[in-house]
Amino acid sequence: LTNAEMSLDRCQALVEGILKSMNVGLERDGEELKMLPSYVTKFHPAHGTFYALDLGGTNFRVLRVQLNESDPDKVGIKNYVVDPQHMKGTGEQLFDFLAESIQDAVVSFGDQTASLDDPLPLGFTFSFPCRQTSLREGTLLRWTKGFTASDVEGREVVSMLRDALRRRDVHVRVDAM
């Protein structure tokens, strides 16, 4: 397109239509534009060491992010493969595998001195359809991407991760999903 121009009125009408569709999608299930609410309402600038777990398919990552006030930030990444036995086994097996991998990363990055009184903060990216009810809670609606682990659909996944971390005595606190 060489002359891709749009009037300001047409642009404003397009934005209003999208916003209306988004609001309707948030209000009701079954709408054309499916929307799930997010519970991130504020951003607090932070400094320190944080962990992130990114599960979205057959590969997942544990990241260690060190945010510094004056020095450059540092990011360490450990990649893991989710084998078919974990993708298609039980939910407990899958979440125990995640906890084991988090523990491996924490030890590898030298943070094993975390304690129950001073756990490491973790953000959990769970890239599957969930109904999120708070910043720290989300219920899996259905598996996608080849995952079929039993006893997870319809359950709150952050508590499943917390339980697995507790079973392995990994001192990580899930602060956000």
Side-chain angles (χ1 to χ4, degrees), residues 129-141:
C130 287
R131 177 157 315 277
Q132 197 165 354
T133 53
S134 77
L135 184 61
R136 294 175 183 88
E137 293 180 345
T139 300
L140 177 64
L141 298 175

Side-chain angles (χ1 to χ4, degrees), residues 36 126 128-132 138-143 152-155 157:
L36 295 171
F126 188 74
F128 299 93
C130 287
R131 177 157 315 277
Q132 197 165 354
T139 300
L140 177 64
L141 298 175
R142 69 184 168 285
W143 280 122
V152 184
E153 288 184 349
R155 292 190 55 198
V157 295

Side-chain angles (χ1 to χ4, degrees), residues 22 38 41-42 53 62 67 70-71 78 80 99 107 118 148-149:
M22 290 169 62
S38 170
T41 58
K42 294 181 203 168
L53 173 63
V62 178
L67 302 177
S70 55
D71 297 331
K78 294 238 2 165
Y80 299 88
V107 170
D118 190 23
T148 59

